[in-house]
């Protein structure tokens, strides 16, 4: 990544490490390149170092090692207020002693902008987030969603090229969240802003981003567009973390022609696609998405291995059916089927046979 | 629902109007709550509210003259104080009767000392006359005017009688006039001569020095509170102990320590002389004057400034400063435009606390203030324990109380009392 040319890289992390206490590395060897205009989401469990990365980019934490570049210029020694990066904080951080309009006017004032120009820009920014009539209020007089929008407007009003958002929707209810997700992506693309967005909500990450960086243990586990991330997880952490996932454990028996034969711990054999396993005898964790499991014998490919399963629970969820099975000793094996007119509703206790396309079943590291 | 619209008031299940049964239910709750706080309420009432009320009353109370000299007061009513003549025989006769009774009850000296506050010398007139009057026959003897003048020429002075007449009402504004450096002249209140005005200067000095002390506390306390609020909590707690340490040391010890530091042969002067900054024969006078009082009181009152500031600053989320910087503000702008306004409630609370404590402070000015650095409270203490003029002390205290309330009101108008937070 480091050898990529700088002209299409707007934000670059090169071999960045960060330690707070000199004993443990919170960020271990981070490499990341973002082109201009990209909407990139950092997704990962709590404590995986997302906020830390954002703070290093914004200038509130210094990297212990490595180089961070913005538009080709190393920013390690540039103080935060000179970086020109817009930031939306998790708690919004709207100044409580200023009105909404004063909050938005603040970044323009410190840039010594004239009064009429300021008012013009503040008004435009507020209109952009549909908060035009709230300029005279204090932050405490707004609802959570309104505060969120003002925080967004404030981060954008001075027209930064890069905007960082740290879990900006964490405090909102589901409905408002979905609305705001749409509004944020819409605005970011419309204004052509490069955005780094932090969340630990995977739905949010999948629906909003151009690319998602999955963080764990201070490293990027996979950096890919949402569909690729979901359909082609590169390791078992990503497979587990993104979406619902069934796992079965076993040992590689044979690998050839892009197919792996896996013997599960119960002795059954299945066909998989090898991802990060290389040789027979290795332990593996096999991952299958619930919606890719098939139990209708007519639709199964010929010659593939099938598994016996017992239905434990059938849950009606409206648009889909969710069925819990016991498969190869795993009692949490889930399958999802669409609620179509000809769909069979399985009964608890029923014995069935399940299978899948070998390409949908990925053999990952154990 | 429908019967509400028809029949007006909503009824509870038992048929009483809902409002009344709600009030009854709430009254029970209120009574119970009141009973819980009753001990404290009574305690506060007895030990705090009543004494203040008593003090307010004492500053205008003046029953002693009309109680002790009832006949004289009546007889003096028609006497014209501006005539410049001694009152007639009737007045002296009434006085003889009153004094005889008072002397029998041994209370004639009290009224004498009361009137002595107003016109020095009256006390001895009453004492002498009280001794003689016991032997007089109030009905048969006379004329009493001559007999009184025989006891002491002072009784012929119209000023003495004017004082008695002026202070015969049961309520008086005399103490307040006194406290405001005024006196009752023949034609109503007038200012005292220039060289007798002491309280006005003292009030001014007290206010001025309290303001200076408050300002010094803000200047010294703000950075300390800021550091405390921004350090990791373990270090902050340690430093907090240092801030609180003075609280655990006797006030007298702390004040005396300043004497050691500041006197002419003290640590600071010695150091300055040793450094050659000050000549040995020109050592600085830093104690027994206003400077000494300000230094010592700033030190003593500093914790009262730091604590509210600290607790307010602790509640200021550091992300505000970060947000300001990310929006392009320099460190100074971020502090001044974002952090400082949010810390103002702490400054307000600390200032009110320190100012009100300072304005009534007494021990430290007494010890290190000399004559130029004493406060009005030292004068009040003097009147309470030495001159025993409680009425004047009460009037001075009342004025002090009113001044504080006015300043509090002004503060509310200017800064807003909602802008005061203790955390
Ligand atoms: N100021 C700090 N001092 C010491 N350790 C810190 C500090 N800030 C974060 N850490 C540690 O660094 C690790 C990563 O923290 P970070 O805040 O980056 O996580 P995150 O991915 O943002 O998590 P979350 O989703 O919960 O916000 C955590 O283990 C945390 O304890
Ligand atoms: Mg975080």
């Amino acid at each position: 990544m480091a050898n990529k040319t700088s002209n299409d890289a707007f934000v670059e992390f090169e071999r960045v490490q960060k330690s707070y206490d000199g004993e443990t590395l919170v960020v271990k060897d981070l490499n990341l390149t973002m082109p201009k205009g990209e909407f990139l989401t950092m997704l990962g469990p709590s404590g995986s170092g997302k906020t830390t990365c954002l703070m290093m980019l914004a200038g509130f934490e210094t990297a212990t090692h490595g180089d961070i570049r913005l538009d080709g210029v190393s920013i390690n020694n540039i103080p935060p207020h000179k970086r020109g990066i817009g930031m939306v904080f998790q708690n919004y951080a709207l100044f409580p002693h200023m009105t909404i309009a004063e909050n938005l006017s603040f970044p323009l004032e410190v840039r010594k902008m004239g009064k009429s120009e300021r008012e013009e820009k503040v008004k435009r920014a507020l209109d952009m987030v549909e908060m035009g009539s709230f300029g005279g209020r204090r932050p405490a007089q707004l609802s959570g969603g309104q505060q969120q929008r003002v925080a967004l407007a404030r981060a954008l009003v001075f027209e930064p090229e890069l905007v960082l958002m740290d879990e900006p929707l964490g405090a909102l209810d589901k409905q408002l969240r979905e609305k705001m997700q749409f509004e944020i992506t819409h605005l970011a693309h419309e204004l052509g802003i490069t955005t780094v967005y932090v969340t630990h909500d995977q739905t949010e990450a999948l629906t909003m981003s151009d690319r998602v960086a999955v963080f764990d243990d201070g490293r990027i586990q996979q950096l890919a567009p949402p569909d690729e991330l979901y359909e082609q997880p590169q390791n078992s952490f990503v497979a587990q973390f993104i979406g619902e996932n069934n796992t079965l454990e076993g040992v590689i028996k044979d690998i050839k022609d892009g197919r792996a034969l896996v013997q599960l711990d119960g002795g059954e054999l299945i066909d998989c696609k090898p991802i990060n396993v290389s040789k027979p005898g290795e332990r593996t964790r096999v991952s299958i998405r619930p919606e890719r499991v098939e139990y209708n014998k007519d639709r199964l490919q010929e010659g593939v291995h099938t598994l016996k399963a017992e239905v434990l629970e059938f849950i009606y969820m409206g648009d889909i059916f969710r069925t819990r099975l016991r498969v190869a000793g795993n009692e949490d094996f889930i399958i999802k089927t669409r609620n179509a007119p000809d769909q069979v509703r399985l009964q608890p206790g029923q014995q069935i046979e399940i299978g899948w396309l070998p390409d949908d079943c990925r053999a990952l590291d154990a | 629902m429908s019967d509400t619209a028809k029949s007006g008031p909503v009824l509870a299940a038992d048929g009483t109007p809902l409002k009344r049964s709600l009030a009854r239910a709430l009254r029970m709750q209120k009574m119970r709550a009141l009973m819980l706080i009753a001990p404290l309420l009574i305690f506060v009432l007895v030990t705090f509210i009543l004494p203040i009320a008593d003090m307010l009353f004492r500053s205008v109370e003046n029953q002693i003259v009309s109680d002790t000299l009832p006949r004289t007061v009546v007889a003096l009513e028609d006497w014209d104080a501006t005539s410049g003549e001694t009152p007639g025989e009737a007045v002296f006769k009434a006085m003889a009767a009153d004094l005889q009774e008072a002397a029998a009850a041994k209370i004639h000296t009290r009224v004498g000392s009361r009137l002595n506050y107003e016109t020095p010398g009256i006390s001895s007139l009453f004492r002498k006359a009280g001794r003689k009057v016991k032997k007089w026959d109030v009905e048969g003897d006379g004329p009493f005017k001559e007999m009184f003048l025989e006891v002491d020429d002072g009784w012929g002075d119209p000023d003495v009688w004017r004082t008695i007449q002026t202070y015969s009402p049961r309520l008086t504004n005399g103490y307040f006039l006194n406290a405001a450096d005024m006196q009752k002249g023949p034609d109503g209140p007038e200012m005292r001569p220039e060289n007798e005005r002491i309280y006005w200067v003292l009030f001014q000095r007290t206010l001025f020095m309290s303001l200076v002390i408050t300002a010094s506390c803000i200047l010294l306390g703000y950075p300390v509170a800021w550091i405390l609020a921004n350090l990791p909590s373990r270090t902050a707690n340690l430093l907090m102990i240092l801030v609180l340490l003075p609280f655990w040391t006797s006030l007298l010890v702390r004040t005396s320590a300043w004497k050691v530091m500041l006197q002419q042969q003290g640590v600071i002067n010695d150091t300055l002389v040793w450094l050659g900054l000050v000549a040995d024969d020109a050592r600085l006078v830093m104690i027994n004057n206003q400077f000494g009082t300000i230094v010592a009181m700033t030190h003593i009152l500093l914790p009262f400034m730091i604590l509210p500031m600290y607790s307010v600053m602790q509640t200021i989320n550091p992300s505000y400063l970060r947000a300001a910087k990310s929006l392009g503000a320099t460190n100074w702008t971020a502090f001044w435009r974002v952090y400082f306004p949010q810390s103002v409630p702490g400054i307000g609370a600390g200032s009110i606390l320190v100012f009100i404590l300072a304005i009534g402070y007494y021990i430290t000015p007494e010890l290190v203030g000399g004559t130029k650095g004493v406060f009005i409270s030292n004068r009040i203490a003097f009147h309470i324990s030495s001159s025993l003029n409680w009425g004047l002390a009460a009037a001075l205290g009342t004025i002090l109380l009113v001044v504080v309330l006015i300043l509090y009101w002004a503060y509310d108008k200017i800064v807003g009392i909602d802008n005061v937070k203790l955390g």
Side-chain angles (χ1 to χ4, degrees):
Chain A
M1 288 221 172
N3 54 13
K4 258 197 174 173
T5 49
S6 295
N7 47 13
D8 71 326
F10 185 58
V11 180
E12 269 179 294
F13 282 84
E14 189 186 334
R15 318 222 55 181
V16 172
Q17 294 186 322
K18 171 72 186 174
S19 171
Y20 283 107
D21 51 7
E23 286 170 15
T24 50
L25 280 174
V26 172
V27 174
K28 305 167 184 162
D29 194 25
L30 179 78
N31 294 288
L32 178 69
T33 311
M34 279 178 74
K36 218 173 185 126
E38 186 179 48
F39 195 114
L40 182 131
T41 299
M42 293 180 171
L43 174 69
S46 196
S48 56
K50 309 178 296 286
T51 301
T52 306
C53 286
L54 220 55
M55 288 301 160
M56 288 193 289
L57 191 50
F60 299 122
E61 296 289 351
T62 47
T64 316
H65 174 85
D67 207 11
I68 302 173
R69 283 191 292 272
L70 188 63
D71 217 359
V73 183
S74 171
I75 56 173
N76 284 13
N77 293 317
I78 302 179
H81 66 271
K82 294 212 177 116
R83 296 193 181 188
I85 298 176
M87 186 144 187
V88 180
F89 289 81
Q90 182 162 14
N91 57 358
Y92 314 139
L94 296 176
F95 307 136
H97 58 293
M98 299 186 191
T99 64
I100 301 307
E102 286 167 347
N103 261 284
L104 263 74
S105 170
F106 183 80
L108 307 177
E109 270 169 55
V110 300
R111 285 176 172 75
K112 310 238 165 19
M113 204 172 272
K115 188 160 189 274
S116 52
E117 195 180 354
R118 276 193 332 240
E119 280 171 359
E120 161 81 30
K121 288 199 175 202
V122 167
K123 188 178 170 324
R124 197 155 10 110
L126 279 179
D127 286 341
M128 182 177 73
V129 293
E130 292 167 21
M131 293 287 296
S133 56
F134 292 85
R137 294 220 199 157
R138 294 281 163 122
Q141 296 166 321
L142 299 184
S143 75
Q146 290 169 335
Q147 290 184 33
Q148 206 285 328
R149 277 191 251 177
V150 173
L152 185 62
R154 189 178 68 174
L156 297 177
V157 69
F158 61 100
E159 290 161 16
E161 291 187 277
L162 175 62
V163 174
L164 313 180
M165 305 191 195
D166 191 357
E167 300 190 31
L169 306 180
L172 306 184
D173 66 58
K174 189 164 174 290
Q175 221 163 1
L176 194 56
R177 233 164 121 137
E178 280 166 7
K179 183 163 178 278
M180 289 305 302
Q181 285 169 9
F182 172 75
E183 284 180 20
I184 289 175
T185 31
H186 183 72
L187 265 177
H189 284 133
E190 192 177 2
L191 302 175
I193 310 163
T194 315
T195 312
V196 182
Y197 189 96
V198 166
T199 181
H200 54 228
D201 178 337
Q202 40 140 324
T203 329
E204 205 166 288
L206 293 180
T207 52
M208 297 179 80
S209 333
D210 297 327
R211 282 195 301 166
V212 179
V214 180
F215 270 67
D216 186 41
D217 191 26
R219 284 178 211 279
I220 295 184
Q221 301 291 336
Q222 187 170 357
L223 175 60
D227 52 346
E228 193 181 319
L229 205 64
Y230 185 78
E231 283 163 29
Q232 298 163 34
Q234 290 302 315
N235 58 38
S236 56
F237 173 80
V238 178
Q240 284 288 25
F241 194 71
I242 306 287
E244 212 171 350
N245 183 52
N246 292 307
T247 48
L248 298 169
E249 302 207 11
V251 180
I252 305 283
K253 272 276 178 237
D254 191 17
I255 300 190
K256 64 166 185 278
D257 306 336
R259 280 275 182 283
L261 188 66
V262 173
Q263 179 167 38
L264 298 180
D265 291 349
E268 304 91 336
L269 287 172
I270 52 171
D271 299 305
C272 311
K273 181 176 182 170
I275 303 296
N276 54 358
V277 289
S278 50
K279 52 186 187 296
E282 219 175 316
R283 279 204 67 81
T284 181
R285 196 175 278 173
V286 176
S287 138
I288 316 112
R289 296 288 180 199
E291 67 275 12
R292 297 290 168 99
V293 178
E294 194 53 74
Y295 58 85
N296 192 338
K297 272 211 193 101
D298 311 337
R299 294 203 208 140
L300 282 175
Q301 233 179 355
E302 258 180 53
V304 299
H305 289 92
T306 57
L307 292 175
K308 287 194 176 2
E310 183 188 347
V311 179
L312 297 177
E313 199 176 358
F314 175 84
I315 303 163
Y316 178 84
M317 295 179 71
D319 53 346
I320 56 163
F321 302 145
R322 207 181 131 92
T323 315
R324 192 160 66 85
L325 309 175
R326 182 190 293 125
V327 176
N330 178 352
E331 298 203 342
D332 279 318
F333 199 97
I334 305 291
I335 60 176
K336 285 185 193 160
T337 44
R338 208 163 56 85
N339 183 0
D342 58 340
Q343 193 62 265
V344 198
R345 300 189 183 194
L346 297 168
Q347 299 302 319
Q350 204 173 333
Q351 300 288 336
I352 56 171
E353 212 154 294
I354 56 168
W356 45 76
L357 297 178
D359 275 352
D360 288 336
C361 173
R362 302 166 71 80
L364 302 166
D365 55 307
Chain B
M1 275 294 174
S2 57
D3 67 15
T4 321
K6 262 185 275 160
S7 60
V10 189
L11 299 184
D14 59 357
T16 51
L18 192 57
K19 271 216 173 106
R20 199 187 316 151
S21 63
L22 179 68
R24 196 188 307 141
L26 289 181
R27 192 161 54 234
M28 282 303 291
Q29 274 181 12
K30 277 190 204 144
M31 286 299 291
R32 217 170 293 152
L34 202 64
M35 297 233 297
L36 274 176
I37 61 160
L40 180 65
L41 204 64
I42 292 166
F43 178 81
V44 168
L45 202 71
V46 169
T47 60
F48 187 72
I49 310 278
L50 290 184
I52 287 185
D54 182 59
M55 181 196 79
L56 292 178
F57 180 62
R58 256 172 211 276
S59 63
V60 292
E61 182 251 36
N62 188 46
Q63 292 168 351
I64 183 163
V65 178
S66 52
D67 281 357
T68 327
L69 310 171
R71 299 181 194 94
T72 316
V73 166
V74 173
L76 264 176
E77 262 167 23
D78 325 317
W79 178 65
D80 178 11
T82 51
S83 64
E85 285 170 26
T86 325
E89 173 65 16
V91 172
F92 280 94
K93 188 169 187 227
M95 176 60 95
D98 283 339
L99 260 187
Q100 198 171 45
E101 250 173 51
K106 292 200 167 75
I107 54 173
H108 63 291
T109 50
R110 274 196 226 160
V111 70
S113 19
R114 163 68 186 96
L115 290 170
N116 204 56
Y117 299 150
E118 315 302 337
T119 306
I122 293 192
S123 175
S124 76
L125 290 185
F126 270 76
R127 224 175 317 115
K128 284 187 205 159
R131 242 178 278 137
K132 292 272 168 18
V133 81
K134 287 181 200 156
K135 300 178 199 103
W136 296 352
D137 173 6
V138 187
E139 292 307 316
D141 283 351
F144 288 102
K145 189 164 179 176
E146 275 72 44
M147 295 171 76
F148 267 104
L149 287 176
E150 216 166 278
V151 175
D152 195 313
D153 288 348
W155 285 109
D157 183 355
D159 264 359
V160 170
W161 294 100
R162 194 171 53 77
T163 308
I164 297 176
Q165 191 186 40
T166 315
Y167 287 93
S168 50
R170 302 181 75 82
L171 296 179
T172 177
N173 56 1
Y175 295 121
F176 275 103
L177 289 179
N178 235 332
D181 283 334
M182 294 164 92
Q183 62 189 7
K184 285 191 184 189
D187 1 282
E190 60 187 28
M191 288 305 289
R192 276 178 198 275
E194 202 81 44
N195 55 350
E196 285 178 27
R197 296 181 194 169
I198 46 169
Y199 299 116
W200 179 232
V201 177
L202 272 177
F203 272 116
Q204 267 179 318
R205 185 195 291 160
T206 305
L207 285 180
F208 169 73
M209 286 177 59
S210 300
L211 282 176
V212 172
I213 290 163
T214 311
S216 338
C217 281
I218 294 175
L219 285 181
L220 294 176
Y222 197 89
V224 176
W226 188 83
I227 287 182
L228 282 175
N230 285 284
L231 281 176
S233 61
R234 243 158 51 103
T235 332
N237 285 340
L238 200 73
L239 284 182
M240 198 54 162
I241 292 178
L242 293 183
V243 172
L244 293 176
L245 203 61
F247 275 142
W248 303 335
T249 323
S250 153
L251 184 64
L252 280 173
V253 172
R254 277 180 281 157
T255 307
S256 314
W258 278 112
K259 273 201 133 112
V260 175
M261 293 289 288
L262 294 175
Q263 63 187 325
Q264 285 200 293
Q265 302 303 321
V267 179
I268 291 181
N269 262 315
D270 281 351
T271 314
L272 288 176
V273 168
W274 180 73
L275 286 173
L277 294 173
V278 169
D280 199 11
D281 51 0
R283 286 172 175 252
L284 302 176
V285 184
M286 294 186 289
I287 198 101
N288 295 333
N289 56 13
Q290 300 198 358
F291 180 80
T293 310
I294 290 173
V295 169
M297 282 184 56
T298 301
H299 168 238
I300 285 161
L301 295 178
L302 199 52
F304 294 100
M305 184 63 86
I306 293 177
L307 288 177
M309 278 188 185
Y310 167 67
S311 61
V312 167
M313 286 181 185
Q314 256 192 331
T315 63
I316 302 176
N317 195 319
S319 70
Y320 290 127
L321 272 183
R322 290 186 159 185
K325 286 185 208 169
S326 84
L327 293 171
T330 58
N331 285 339
W332 169 252
T333 317
F335 167 77
W336 183 246
R337 296 275 319 271
V338 174
Y339 193 88
F340 182 76
Q342 294 190 59
S343 66
V344 163
I347 302 180
S351 301
I352 287 190
L353 217 60
V354 167
F355 184 79
I356 289 180
L357 282 173
I359 214 172
Y361 228 71
Y362 149 70
I363 300 178
T364 306
E366 185 76 32
L367 290 178
V368 300
T371 48
K372 286 267 182 288
V374 294
F375 280 19
I376 191 71
S377 40
N378 298 88
R379 203 65 205 170
I380 296 178
F382 167 76
H383 283 307
I384 286 183
S385 52
S386 301
S387 83
L388 299 184
N389 188 351
W390 282 29
L392 182 56
L396 289 170
T398 308
I399 292 177
L400 201 56
L401 184 67
V402 170
V403 167
V404 168
L405 289 179
I406 288 174
L407 286 173
Y408 190 78
W409 171 83
Y411 184 93
D412 184 31
K413 282 282 158 221
I414 300 164
V415 185
I417 216 68
D418 316 337
N419 265 336
V420 170
K421 268 201 299 193
L422 285 171

